[in-house]
């Protein structure tokens, strides 16, 4: 599966999705805060669902290049959620060389 470098358009799209998620979570908190415990539970479901959709989109549209061996690979939604990251890097264990490194983010061409 071919991968490509991240473009400015990709960064803007990710930023838009993050902003949308923040808006949904914050708006839900504002609207549901008046309903006491039921509102809190509904808000938690909305917040968790929004975060899941954001992380799933990210995991399905990106791949990574190992800094140690150059191997390109994809990761699961769970790994995407729990792995430390810093802008265009994510700390991952390479499935080919088994070394942990700050892998470079790539975009999947098929998405």
């Amino acid at each position: 599966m071919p991968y490509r470098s991240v473009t400015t358009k990709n960064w803007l799209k990710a930023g838009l999705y993050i902003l949308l998620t923040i808006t949904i979570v914050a708006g839900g908190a504002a609207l549901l805060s008046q309903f006491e415990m039921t509102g809190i539970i509904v808000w938690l479901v909305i917040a968790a669902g929004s975060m899941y959709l954001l992380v799933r989109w990210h995991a399905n549209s990106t791949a990574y290049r190992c800094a140690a061996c150059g191997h390109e690979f994809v990761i699961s939604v769970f790994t995407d959620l729990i792995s430390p990251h810093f802008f265009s890097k994510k700390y991952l264990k390479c499935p080919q060389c088994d070394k942990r490194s700050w892998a470079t983010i790539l975009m999947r061409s098929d998405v």
Side-chain angles (χ1 to χ4, degrees), residues 17-40:
Y17 286 165
I18 291 168
L19 184 61
L20 179 63
T21 301
I22 291 170
T23 302
I24 290 169
V25 171
L31 292 173
L32 297 170
S33 63
Q34 61 187 338
F35 295 110
E36 298 179 12
M37 186 54 92
T38 305
I40 292 170

Side-chain angles (χ1 to χ4, degrees), residues 48-71:
S50 298
M51 280 299 299
Y52 172 75
L53 291 174
L54 180 65
V55 174
R56 189 182 76 175
W57 166 79
H58 189 263
N60 289 335
S61 62
T62 58
Y64 296 89
R65 181 180 297 123
C66 176
C69 71
H71 177 67

Side-chain angles (χ1 to χ4, degrees), residues 6-24:
V6 180
T7 64
T8 303
K9 183 179 177 182
N10 299 129
W11 285 113
L12 291 173
K13 185 176 184 180
L16 180 64
Y17 286 165
I18 291 168
L19 184 61
L20 179 63
T21 301
I22 291 170
T23 302
I24 290 169

Side-chain angles (χ1 to χ4, degrees), residues 66 68-71 73 92-101:
C66 176
C69 71
H71 177 67
F73 58 96
L92 298 166
K93 183 177 182 180
C94 176
Q96 183 167 325
C97 69
D98 283 335
K99 292 183 181 175
R100 293 187 182 277
S101 66

